[in-house]
Amino acid sequence: MTSGFSRLRREDLLKTACEVIAERGFGHTRTIDIARAAGVSQALLFYHFESKDRLFAQALTYAARQHLHSLEHIEEAEGTPLERLRTLLRLSSPAIPNEGWRLWIDAWSEAMRNSELEEISRRLDSRGRLVLRAIIEAGVSCGEFKCDDPDASTWRILALVDGLAIQTHAHPKVLTRRKVNTLIRTAAAAELGLSPETL
């Protein structure tokens, strides 16, 4: 019972840490900020996580795990490749700035100086590419998509999504939600021999 409670407590602390980091950024978040938001002492925070760097790394791991669960649901879905592609693009769309994207954009920046964060973000990026490439390959196999190089198309589509995520969060007034979604759908459709309206 005690270990179960402790595990739940850690999950709560990690969720709160993600929320605070997304709001303040890695560089401006102090452990005292997270402790206050979670309603605990810094001593309890360090009891669970040993150091600030360790807390940040585990918070990012927690966020990655949530996203990986979503990717697994898409992989296991029984729909056609086109239906799964629509779901993945909807999940990944940065059209509405949100806490998840803020956290990941900031994590990418920190990853240039923190090897642990680099490994976590790289692993999640790689997983997302594998899921999209598998969907494209399945679509080509069944005749839904036309694509000579699924790997290259995967890189181009996700590079556009990532770039638009940075734009919409750094410059929220530049692109409308509709424009962002249109850009992504148009690019993905061009890569896969589809009409944008299909997506």
Side-chain angles (χ1 to χ4, degrees):
M1 180 69 75
T2 303
S3 64
F5 174 79
S6 178
R7 189 167 57 252
L8 288 172
R9 186 50 155 167
R10 281 175 64 89
E11 294 281 304
D12 289 340
L13 292 174
L14 290 170
K15 182 176 184 296
T16 300
C18 288
E19 292 167 353
V20 176
I21 293 168
E23 180 183 346
R24 301 175 64 92
F26 282 94
H28 297 284
T29 297
R30 304 168 300 169
T31 52
I32 188 65
D33 300 322
I34 296 172
R36 284 174 179 162
V40 301
S41 67
Q42 272 189 290
L44 180 62
L45 212 56
F46 285 121
Y47 169 77
H48 282 291
F49 302 105
E50 300 172 10
S51 69
K52 178 180 176 180
D53 285 346
R54 193 70 189 139
L55 169 59
F56 282 9
Q58 291 197 29
L60 192 60
T61 299
Y62 169 84
R65 196 163 59 244
Q66 308 311 304
H67 190 66
L68 285 172
H69 288 328
S70 298
L71 292 177
E72 287 168 4
H73 287 315
I74 294 172
E75 279 187 302
E76 295 166 1
E78 295 182 356
T80 66
L82 179 58
E83 289 167 341
R84 285 185 286 135
L85 176 63
R86 287 183 186 133
T87 301
L88 180 59
L89 293 180
R90 190 164 53 248
L91 172 71
S92 305
S93 175
I96 302 177
N98 61 55
E99 177 185 291
W101 268 116
R102 281 196 299 274
L103 181 66
W104 284 108
I105 292 168
D106 207 38
W108 289 337
S109 176
E110 287 296 312
M112 292 188 288
R113 294 172 291 277
N114 183 311
S115 60
E116 196 168 6
L117 295 185
E118 187 276 334
E119 181 182 352
I120 295 165
S121 63
R122 174 167 40 85
R123 194 166 60 239
L124 183 64
D125 282 351
S126 177
R127 191 77 182 92
R129 286 195 303 275
L130 285 173
V131 172
L132 177 54
R133 190 175 68 197
I135 290 172
I136 293 174
E137 289 172 345
V140 171
S141 294
C142 73
E144 274 194 309
F145 306 151
K146 294 179 182 178
C147 178
D148 293 330
D149 190 343
D151 187 62
S153 290
T154 295
W155 276 100
R156 286 190 290 267
I157 292 168
L158 292 183
L160 175 64
V161 170
D162 291 345
L164 288 172
I166 294 170
Q167 282 291 331
T168 56
H169 285 78
H171 312 119
K173 297 181 180 179
V174 172
L175 292 168
T176 65
R177 175 184 176 185
R178 175 175 291 184
K179 182 65 172 178
V180 171
N181 284 328
T182 298
L183 288 170
I184 293 171
R185 285 198 308 270
T186 302
E191 291 285 347
L192 305 178
L194 303 169
S195 67
E197 294 75 19
T198 306
L199 296 173

